[in-house]
């Protein structure tokens, strides 16, 4: 069973619509959709926003549904200069940019597990890289999203980037926030609000996972408007094709 999480309905609604759902369960005020997509058994849920919400949801997926792998799909604010709205970022590792117990413990390190970074699964990442890059290179996005909508966000040929994603319980839209993130984590590609919490839970339970984010905004003064328009118009389409293409090619045990 594969666990799939998005933070908000706009990140997963299109996947729910295509899933063959056999059952739904409400646990801890969240609705879990259980069924198949691309003939792969999966359970899908939106966690709501933030690290606590994401951690609760991830723990439930592991404890109640015994998932063997987890994929997080959603949007993020681009931090590195060359990352544009419509690009996709695949996390090789994640960190919680707002977590800091210095000077009691080393800066930005999660105490007692002695980790600043959590690493995603190389096998899942390989499948995700192959699928997403061939999709983007083939300009397939133009078949799924209208030229009007692509033009609104100036999306032409989106790129796939791989590297560090940081998470925190803040929407990033001010220069000061970006400077602090880059000061503490200079290699940051983008920022969001759940991935590194999912990563910590998966690390502690030893569940292979990956986090894939489409860039909805540039974490700047127009981020609020860009984010809202992007989740209204675009994010569902990316989420659906990313998840479908990965599931088609994922190696799972029959269940
Ligand atoms: N998710 C999408 N855009 C974001 C931003 N600018 N800050 C935090 N999370 C986000």
């Amino acid at each position: 069973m594969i666990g799939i999480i998005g933070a908000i309905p706009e990140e997963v609604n299109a996947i729910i619509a295509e899933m063959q759902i056999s059952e739904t369960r409400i646990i801890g005020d969240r609705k879990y959709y259980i069924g198949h997509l691309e003939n792969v058994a999966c359970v899908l849920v939106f966690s709501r926003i933030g690290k606590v919400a994401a951690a609760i949801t991830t723990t439930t997926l592991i404890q109640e549904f015994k998932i063997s792998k987890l994929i997080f799909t959603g949007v993020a604010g681009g931090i590195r200069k060359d990352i544009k709205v419509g690009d996709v970022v695949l996390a090789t590792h994640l960190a919680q940019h707002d977590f800091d117990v210095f000077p009691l413990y080393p800066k930005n390190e999660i105490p007692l597990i002695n980790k600043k970074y959590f690493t995603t699964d190389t096998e899942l990442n390989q499948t995700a890289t192959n699928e997403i890059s061939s999709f983007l290179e083939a300009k397939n996005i133009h078949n799924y999203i209208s030229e009007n909508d692509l033009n609104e966000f100036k999306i032409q040929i989106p790129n796939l980037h791989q590297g560090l994603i940081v998470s925190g319980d803040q929407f990033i839209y001010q220069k000061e926030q970006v400077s602090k993130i880059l000061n503490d984590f200079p290699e940051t590609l983008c920022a969001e609000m759940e991935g590194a919490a999912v990563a910590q839970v998966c690390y502690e339970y030893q569940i292979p996972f990956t986090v894939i984010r489409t860039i909805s905004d540039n974490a700047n003064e127009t981020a609020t408007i860009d984010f809202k328009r992007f989740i209204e118009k675009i994010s569902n389409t990316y989420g659906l094709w990313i998840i479908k293409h990965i599931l088609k090619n994922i190696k799972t045990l029959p269940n």
Side-chain angles (χ1 to χ4, degrees):
M1 180 84 104
I2 308 290
I4 302 166
I5 314 185
I8 52 175
E10 292 87 343
E11 291 170 333
V12 293
N13 275 343
I15 308 172
I16 295 171
E18 288 232 354
M19 250 177 101
Q20 292 167 282
I21 297 166
S22 50
E23 191 192 344
T24 59
R25 281 177 67 190
I26 309 264
I27 306 170
D29 207 20
R30 285 165 179 75
K31 189 168 183 177
Y32 293 81
Y33 297 83
I34 304 135
H36 287 80
L37 185 64
E38 299 293 339
N39 293 320
V40 178
C42 50
V43 46
L44 182 143
V45 56
F46 70 86
S47 59
R48 303 204 292 265
I49 296 173
K51 292 187 299 169
V52 173
I56 293 169
T57 311
T58 306
T59 309
T60 304
L61 284 173
I62 296 168
Q63 295 269 24
E64 293 285 329
F65 296 97
K66 311 291 177 213
I67 57 165
S68 57
K69 297 176 200 288
L70 187 149
I71 307 169
F72 191 106
T73 171
V75 296
I79 299 282
R80 203 176 68 188
K81 286 271 183 299
D82 63 313
I83 293 184
K84 296 186 291 296
V85 170
D87 284 0
V88 179
V89 178
L90 174 66
T92 51
H93 52 310
L94 298 106
Q96 298 173 37
H97 69 76
D98 59 353
F99 197 119
D100 196 4
V101 198
F102 183 84
L104 274 184
Y105 291 92
K107 191 158 172 50
N108 297 117
E109 190 176 283
I110 312 293
L112 307 179
I113 56 174
N114 310 331
K115 281 187 81 70
K116 182 171 170 183
Y117 298 104
F118 297 95
T119 309
T120 51
D121 181 62
T122 43
E123 214 173 275
L124 274 175
N125 287 350
Q126 193 55 58
T127 307
T129 306
N130 294 345
E131 294 308 309
I132 297 168
S133 38
S134 57
F135 191 87
L136 294 180
E137 276 158 22
K139 300 189 190 167
N140 275 332
I141 203 71
H142 292 259
N143 301 329
Y144 289 81
I145 298 173
S146 75
E147 288 303 315
N148 258 357
D149 289 347
L150 291 172
N151 287 341
E152 176 180 343
F153 295 95
K154 301 189 176 66
I155 300 171
Q156 289 174 340
I157 305 173
N159 289 310
L160 172 66
H161 309 269
Q162 299 187 48
L164 177 66
I165 295 182
V166 297
S167 315
D169 290 314
Q170 311 168 352
F171 189 75
I172 307 299
Y173 67 103
Q174 291 170 312
K175 281 200 180 77
E176 299 72 33
Q177 293 171 295
V178 174
S179 304
K180 181 172 184 310
I181 288 174
L182 285 174
N183 182 57
D184 296 346
F185 299 94
E187 72 277 35
T188 299
L189 301 185
C190 65
E192 37 85 310
M193 304 179 67
E194 298 83 20
V198 170
Q200 184 176 341
V201 176
C202 286
Y203 167 78
E204 297 201 29
Y205 280 92
Q206 298 180 310
I207 299 293
F209 73 98
T210 197
V211 176
I212 303 160
R213 294 284 187 170
T214 307
I215 300 302
S216 57
D217 60 87
N218 288 314
N220 58 14
E221 58 291 345
T222 63
T224 320
I225 299 163
D226 297 341
F227 170 84
K228 285 187 182 152
R229 293 287 293 164
F230 195 89
I231 61 163
E232 189 185 311
K233 297 247 169 197
I234 314 261
S235 60
N236 248 318
T237 308
Y238 271 87
L240 176 62
W241 67 249
I242 287 171
I243 293 298
K244 272 176 71 163
H245 283 78
I246 294 175
L247 291 187
K248 245 185 215 171
N249 293 284
I250 210 165
K251 287 195 197 83
T252 50
L253 298 169
N255 55 3

